[in-house]
Amino acid sequence: MIHIVLYRPEKPQNTGNIMRTCVAIGAKLHIIGPLSFSIDSKDLKRVGLDYIDDLKMEYYDSYEEFDKKHHDDDIYYITRYAKAVYSSFDFKDPVNDYYLMFGRESTGIPHDILREHPHRLLRIPMVPNARSLNLSNCVAILAYEVLRQQNYNDLSTSEAIKGEDFLEKEKKKETIQK
């Protein structure tokens, strides 16, 4: 399973988008506080839509609380200070739990945490003078790399709600109505 870990996120809109992504891919969200906004905020609910009703989420009051519970788990830290590109890591085992930790929008993951895990640091390539990408975009990039390596295990690869042939049926319906 994919576990998305947010270290003290600052923007409810990003967190709402990430919640929606987690539900859509069957990932669990872990939020490390304290937060500068309420989990119940209207911005968060508006962005997360009705998806957040199905969200698997756990909240931790501090990094120490998270670390105590997950110290031995397979945690990867996404940071601009990493030397290895995220796609160079092996996430193929669909049975393994992969924890992907993302830092604050303004400051990232604290450097002391990063220094403790030098072989678990991942970076997203970008032009040299760029400092960062949007947090919810980073989550999507990394989560979908894990899913790609697992051949999109348990995800629908065709339209499941309206039917696989929806566009063709819609065109036929339009042709008949003319």
Side-chain angles (χ1 to χ4, degrees):
M1 172 182 243
I2 298 173
H3 297 262
I4 301 300
V5 182
L6 302 180
Y7 178 86
R8 299 186 61 198
E10 299 166 304
K11 299 186 178 188
Q13 297 85 351
N14 281 335
T15 303
N17 285 332
I18 293 164
M19 290 174 155
R20 189 172 175 179
T21 298
C22 285
V23 172
I25 64 173
K28 182 173 182 180
L29 179 62
H30 302 260
I31 297 179
I32 299 170
L35 298 176
S36 59
F37 60 89
S38 167
I39 293 288
D40 297 324
S41 87
K42 66 179 181 177
D43 290 334
L44 212 143
K45 288 181 179 176
R46 182 176 63 243
V47 174
L49 301 173
D50 58 345
Y51 285 79
I52 60 176
D53 294 337
D54 298 322
L55 178 68
K56 294 174 273 192
M57 186 182 91
E58 196 163 344
Y59 179 83
Y60 308 85
D61 289 322
S62 66
Y63 175 74
E64 292 73 27
E65 181 183 348
F66 171 82
D67 189 48
K68 185 176 181 180
K69 183 171 183 180
H70 298 285
H71 186 74
D72 295 326
D73 288 328
D74 224 357
I75 303 171
Y76 295 87
Y77 305 83
I78 292 66
T79 174
R80 67 190 254 196
Y81 304 113
K83 296 176 183 172
V85 174
Y86 68 89
S87 56
S88 65
F89 284 76
D90 182 359
F91 299 113
K92 289 184 182 103
D93 185 354
V95 178
N96 195 27
D97 284 330
Y98 296 105
Y99 290 77
L100 305 172
M101 183 182 288
F102 300 84
R104 304 186 83 184
E105 288 92 339
S106 64
T107 57
I109 299 169
H111 299 173
D112 57 329
I113 295 172
L114 298 176
R115 283 191 291 269
E116 290 177 27
H117 309 281
H119 301 296
R120 294 289 181 128
L121 305 182
L122 313 162
R123 75 174 286 113
I124 298 172
M126 55 189 139
V127 298
N129 61 347
R131 288 189 319 273
S132 65
L133 293 167
N134 175 276
L135 179 61
S136 61
N137 291 341
C138 293
V139 168
I141 289 168
L142 267 292
Y144 270 88
E145 172 62 14
V146 174
L147 292 166
R148 183 193 67 77
Q149 288 188 26
Q150 295 176 6
N151 201 28
Y152 304 101
N153 191 31
D154 295 330
L155 296 184
S156 176
T157 56
S158 64
E159 171 54 46
I161 296 171
K162 292 188 175 185
E164 191 172 329
D165 299 327
F166 171 73
L167 292 175
E168 292 83 2
K169 290 176 183 176
E170 183 182 55
K171 185 174 181 173
K172 282 182 184 178
K173 184 178 176 182
E174 288 173 2
T175 305
I176 292 170
Q177 289 176 348
K178 288 183 181 179

